[in-house]
Amino acid sequence: FPLQVSNKQGSHFFFNLFSGGGFIPTEANIVMGRNGRSRGYGLVTFADASVADSAMNVFNGQDFQGRALIVHEDRGATRGSSKTEETVDPNFTGTSVFVNNLAWSTTEDELKSFFAAHGAVSSTIALRKDGKSRGWGTVQFSTQEQAQAALSMKGQEFGGRMIECLLDKKA
């Protein structure tokens, strides 16, 4: 279950904290963000549910470093976390390529021309509400094979920037 704290001492500290309460965890980890810093909580695993329930009852609300611990059962992945199963959009055609890291000045015609050798039919640049580029766009092709071939443009320089190309899963 998750443990919400402001601790920077390491996962072994959580293991020792719960062990000191008479509950021997099988695992204890601080959850780290992509930047390498603690997300402010940890996950502690016990051998069975009854031990976990007892630990939750004892530790929830306890004062820890001047803050009340919030201890509850792990609810699993939330909406914002990465998906383990990828669902395919029913509108997926496999003929559109998402292009990222575009120069702000890139036009739709320039983008289409850059991919012309692979059979680009059209292109679209994503715009903000104020009409300025969002730095990405999509290029449409007649066939899935053309779109697959266009993925080879990933890492090419375009408009002074190294572009990224992915199959557009939403078109």
Side-chain angles (χ1 to χ4, degrees):
F1 51 85
L3 171 65
Q4 183 179 330
V5 295
S6 61
N7 182 4
K8 298 178 182 175
Q9 296 181 0
S11 295
H12 66 279
F13 185 81
F14 287 117
F15 191 91
N16 292 337
L17 175 69
F18 281 88
S19 294
F23 307 100
I24 309 298
T26 56
E27 188 177 1
N29 295 299
I30 293 177
V31 177
M32 306 300 277
R34 285 185 249 177
N35 62 1
R37 296 178 60 186
S38 167
R39 300 269 322 264
Y41 67 95
L43 298 172
V44 181
T45 306
F46 295 93
D48 63 61
S50 64
V51 175
D53 287 339
S54 297
M56 282 189 290
N57 290 332
V58 169
F59 283 98
N60 191 40
Q62 292 290 322
D63 182 67
F64 178 74
Q65 297 179 347
R67 296 178 69 185
L69 289 175
I70 299 171
V71 184
H72 57 82
E73 186 174 353
D74 185 11
R75 294 181 293 260
T78 59
R79 181 198 278 169
S81 55
S82 61
K83 300 174 189 173
T84 54
E85 272 185 42
E86 194 170 310
T87 57
V88 177
D89 188 307
N91 298 319
F92 178 70
T93 62
T95 60
S96 182
V97 172
F98 170 81
V99 184
N100 197 18
N101 202 29
L102 295 173
W104 304 122
S105 61
T106 302
T107 66
E108 291 179 352
D109 288 337
E110 291 170 336
L111 185 59
K112 180 182 170 187
S113 295
F114 188 70
F115 284 89
H118 296 286
V121 174
S122 65
S123 67
T124 305
I125 301 288
L127 302 175
R128 300 184 322 198
K129 289 180 183 178
D130 63 5
K132 294 181 181 177
S133 171
R134 293 182 66 191
W136 64 269
T138 57
V139 182
Q140 288 71 39
F141 298 87
S142 297
T143 67
Q144 291 180 355
E145 293 76 21
Q146 289 173 326
Q148 286 292 332
L151 296 177
S152 68
M153 301 296 279
K154 180 179 181 176
Q156 298 288 321
E157 186 176 325
F158 176 59
R161 302 185 65 140
M162 303 296 271
I163 61 169
E164 293 194 31
C165 302
L166 301 166
L167 202 55
D168 187 358
K169 301 279 185 188
K170 298 185 179 189

